[in-house]
Amino acid sequence: MNKKTPLPKPSLTVKVLNVLMAIALIVTVILFFRMISEIRSASARDRYGSISYSLRDGSYGDMVREYYHRYFDVAPFHSDYEEEYHLAAYADAAFRFRFYAGTGNQPAAERTARKMDEEQSLAGSLSSLTGEVDEILNEAFPTKP
Amino acid sequence: MKCRYCGGEIGLEDISCPYCGKANEQAVQHVQDMSRFRRRFAETESRVLSKAKTYSQVVPRVLVILILVIACVVMAVISSNAYSMPGNARRRAAERDPSGTIAVLESYLNEDDYLSFASYIEYNEIRMYGNDFSEYSRLYWCAWYYREFVIRMEHIFLQKDRSAWERNDASFDIRYLCQSITSFRESYDTAEQQDDPRMEDIRKMRSNMLDMLGLMFGFENTEEFFVLTENRMAAAVEEVLLDE
């Protein structure tokens, strides 16, 4: 005849483990959201840039810097910023074209002129701004192409 | 069994003989033994159940905590490496195919496109020592400073609002431009001393820099400007750009 023993109260060990489990769960949730946020932000850093802000401020120099430092033509352009990057590439080519033309490096100047045409056609709705880039450079360069 | 007094048949649990009425000592002993065994069994059963209960409460909790701790460690490692992971992946891809990577680098060099050369290496985070790319190590650093020089020049001259640039960025741009020149100069000198196999490309970059300084700032003796200290360079550039 087995007497039914009453259920024992949770031991101290179990209570401590419950508390530890709750803490671990909270930390896990926090770290999970932090990880997601870090990955998103890292991916944004890798794919997006401040190029549109530079365009808004009319700083084509900043756009070129962004182009070389972050995207560069081997990296996939994000479709949202594709036109900005082609405009930056145009500005870079336009500067170098004037430099090569000014120093008499004709082969390089011709090569860069082709690049300018290419980038202008890819700049889409921003291609109208290439005129402004040319104007700025015409004023800056002592020699005219 | 038989009664030791009258020899009548009695059961093991009969306390007294039903024939002679005498006590059955073996039965008494048996009852006592059984009672003791039951008590011990109950104690053992209780102990075993208690232990089992404890383990059934503790072990799953410990396992859950262990899993959560492992998950925390993994997530912390991923979080801290989130920024370097895309670059590492590109580097591994570039280093897995050195001949393909070298072909791309050579295509840039064939066109004297040192900016793209430097950016390609930087973007793919290619290591330039102890591997197939070691040959490009010094050239890369020269190209890197050359690129910074050209980008800074473009930054200076591609401003729509010149007065805003003069107010906000001019001194920083000029300082950085001069830094890029002196850093290039140091890399150039080292490459020359070590008779770098890519010296021809490095000389082209230097020549371009001198031409650009001459063209944009109107310096007559660019060789002389090129060996100035950073501060004197900055002063000379400021004089041209800011009329100071």
Side-chain angles (χ1 to χ4, degrees):
Chain A
M1 43 177 208
N2 284 337
K3 274 190 203 165
K4 262 197 166 179
T5 47
L7 279 174
K9 287 182 182 173
S11 67
L12 185 66
T13 315
V14 172
K15 280 182 192 168
V16 169
L17 286 174
N18 282 345
V19 171
L20 285 176
M21 209 161 61
I23 293 170
L25 192 67
I26 292 166
V27 173
T28 308
V29 170
I30 292 170
L31 281 177
F32 176 76
F33 284 109
R34 185 173 162 246
M35 181 184 75
I36 298 292
S37 140
E38 292 281 332
I39 289 173
R40 276 191 183 155
S41 137
S43 149
R45 177 175 166 267
D46 204 47
R47 294 175 61 204
Y48 308 104
S50 54
I51 196 155
S52 51
Y53 294 105
S54 304
L55 176 65
R56 193 191 58 196
D57 297 340
S59 178
Y60 298 107
D62 281 334
M63 290 178 76
V64 173
R65 192 171 54 188
E66 181 87 357
Y67 167 73
Y68 273 110
H69 282 176
R70 299 221 173 165
Y71 281 76
F72 181 56
D73 59 5
V74 293
F77 291 142
H78 187 263
S79 55
D80 288 353
Y81 299 98
E82 200 171 338
E83 292 180 351
E84 279 90 338
Y85 277 91
H86 286 298
L87 180 63
Y90 175 87
D92 172 54
F95 179 91
R96 286 198 280 160
F97 166 71
R98 281 165 176 77
F99 164 66
Y100 291 133
T103 51
N105 187 346
Q106 216 46 43
E110 280 166 20
R111 207 170 46 227
T112 324
R114 281 197 297 276
K115 170 99 172 153
M116 281 167 71
D117 292 341
E118 203 179 297
E119 296 298 345
Q120 185 173 20
S121 62
L122 292 169
S125 63
L126 298 180
S127 61
S128 58
L129 290 172
T130 55
E132 189 172 75
V133 171
D134 289 331
E135 215 172 280
I136 294 169
L137 288 174
N138 283 342
E139 223 163 273
F141 271 78
T143 53
K144 305 291 171 242
Chain B
M1 63 182 281
K2 291 188 184 306
C3 172
R4 61 187 291 202
Y5 298 106
C6 69
E9 279 294 324
I10 53 173
L12 182 62
E13 293 184 354
D14 290 340
I15 304 290
S16 57
C17 174
Y19 303 104
C20 68
K22 294 277 173 76
N24 179 1
E25 290 90 352
Q26 284 178 315
V28 172
Q29 185 62 45
H30 173 71
V31 170
Q32 284 172 353
D33 286 348
M34 284 306 288
S35 162
R36 199 170 60 247
F37 291 146
R38 282 199 187 97
R39 201 173 58 245
R40 283 187 184 166
F41 177 78
E43 282 168 8
T44 308
E45 186 187 36
S46 159
R47 247 195 339 265
V48 168
L49 285 175
S50 160
K51 286 252 183 212
K53 195 168 180 59
T54 306
Y55 281 121
S56 71
Q57 287 179 333
V58 169
V59 171
R61 284 173 173 76
V62 169
L63 278 177
V64 169
I65 291 170
L66 204 66
I67 290 167
L68 290 176
V69 167
I70 291 170
C72 284
V73 170
V74 169
M75 286 190 287
V77 169
I78 292 175
S79 296
S80 60
N81 290 306
Y83 284 89
S84 57
M85 278 193 297
N88 287 341
R90 288 194 295 268
R91 186 183 65 230
R92 280 194 295 273
E95 290 178 354
R96 258 200 307 271
D97 177 23
S99 55
T101 306
I102 287 172
V104 176
L105 295 177
E106 286 295 338
S107 73
Y108 290 130
L109 294 176
N110 287 339
E111 295 210 336
D112 298 342
D113 188 355
Y114 304 112
L115 276 72
S116 299
F117 170 81
S119 292
Y120 184 84
I121 292 171
E122 187 181 62
Y123 179 77
N124 289 291
E125 300 186 11
I126 300 168
R127 287 175 293 202
M128 309 298 291
Y129 46 86
N131 57 17
D132 297 313
F133 310 107
S134 309
E135 182 192 337
Y136 300 96
S137 171
R138 185 60 55 191
L139 176 63
Y140 167 64
W141 282 111
C142 288
W144 197 90
Y145 293 123
Y146 173 72
R147 186 192 68 175
E148 294 311 296
F149 168 81
V150 174
I151 288 176
R152 198 54 56 175
M153 287 292 264
E154 294 191 12
H155 195 253
I156 290 171
F157 291 104
L158 270 167
Q159 297 294 332
K160 191 159 79 172
D161 187 348
R162 290 300 298 172
S163 54
W165 173 78
E166 281 177 19
R167 274 195 314 275
N168 303 323
D169 298 326
S171 56
F172 181 75
D173 271 348
I174 291 168
R175 178 65 52 193
Y176 200 85
L177 179 82
C178 298
Q179 267 177 19
S180 65
I181 296 171
T182 51
S183 301
F184 175 88
R185 199 174 62 198
E186 283 163 19
S187 288
Y188 178 91
D189 290 345
T190 311
E192 200 167 45
Q193 281 161 17
Q194 293 174 351
D195 199 17
D196 195 276
R198 294 290 175 161
M199 205 57 214
E200 194 189 330
D201 286 304
I202 298 173
R203 282 200 187 97
K204 275 187 199 168
M205 283 187 259
R206 185 179 186 275
S207 165
N208 280 348
M209 287 170 86
L210 293 175
D211 286 347
M212 207 175 280
L213 288 166
L215 182 71
M216 302 310 291
F217 298 137
F219 295 143
E220 283 179 6
N221 194 342
T222 47
E223 287 283 359
E224 203 173 81
F225 173 83
F226 214 68
V227 294
L228 291 177
T229 61
E230 210 171 289
N231 285 339
R232 293 189 68 184
M233 265 185 202
V237 174
E238 271 175 20
E239 202 178 308
V240 174
L241 286 177
L242 309 175
D243 293 328
E244 283 180 5

